Amino acid sequence: PRLYNNGVTRRDVAVRSIGYKSSGAVEDCRVPSNQQTMEPRQFIVVWSVFVSILSSGCVFGWPAMKEILEEDGVYRGHDATERKARFAQIFTAGFFTLIGGRVAMGYILDTRGPRACSCAGLALVILGSVLFSFSDEHSFNAFAPGLALMGFGGSGVHIANFHISNLFPERK
């Protein structure tokens, strides 16, 4: 338990503030001190890193994605110069929105908070992933808009995680 300057724990303060008299039964339900449990703020850090890895790096994984698209035969009917230009266009759309989307997502972060910013970003990443997965070069060529939405949403998820440092004021 976190101790305040005078050696009193947060639990002691909460118990005193509501006038609760302990009979000792509460202490029997505690986790033994030799077992480690994850605090909520530690869970938030682990979860944020997990979500950020899955969503914010979609654009930076483009070289591997391009290789998969080439193996699947996307733009195979075009000459080498045209294929290269189309793949460059997809990456440019994704990278531009990854960097440029921080301005719009920063506004959402400042006005609505990190939870709304992260949720909006995740929704855009999901929408972009769906567009990208159903794209093909002939009937529904949405590779560039899909990667653009993934980049835009990923930037929102990433900047929303900056507030996590506020969970650890003792380490500032």
Side-chain angles (χ1 to χ4, degrees), residues 63-83:
M65 180 60 72
K66 179 183 175 218
E67 195 172 305
I68 292 170
L69 291 173
E70 286 175 340
E71 288 175 5
D72 285 348
V74 175
Y75 302 130
R76 184 169 286 160
H78 302 282
D79 64 351
T81 306
E82 179 70 19
R83 284 180 70 193

Side-chain angles (χ1 to χ4, degrees), residues 67-134:
E67 195 172 305
I68 292 170
L69 291 173
E70 286 175 340
E71 288 175 5
D72 285 348
V74 175
Y75 302 130
R76 184 169 286 160
H78 302 282
D79 64 351
T81 306
E82 179 70 19
R83 284 180 70 193
K84 187 175 181 181
R86 289 190 183 227
F87 283 131
Q89 179 185 24
I90 295 169
F91 176 73
T92 302
F95 189 74
F96 177 77
T97 58
L98 177 72
I99 301 302
R102 294 180 187 275
V103 175
M105 287 298 187
Y107 177 76
I108 294 171
L109 180 67
D110 291 342
T111 58
R112 302 288 184 218
R115 184 181 301 157
C117 184
S118 185
C119 288
L122 285 173
L124 289 172
V125 168
I126 291 168
L127 180 62
S129 298
V130 169
L131 275 177
F132 201 89
S133 67
F134 285 108

Side-chain angles (χ1 to χ4, degrees), residues 22-50:
S22 176
S23 63
V26 173
E27 284 76 20
D28 296 338
C29 296
R30 287 188 181 171
V31 175
S33 61
N34 60 353
Q35 292 182 0
Q36 294 291 329
T37 59
M38 185 179 282
E39 290 185 33
R41 63 185 183 162
Q42 292 170 333
F43 174 76
I44 291 171
V45 169
V46 170
W47 178 255
S48 297
V49 168
F50 176 72

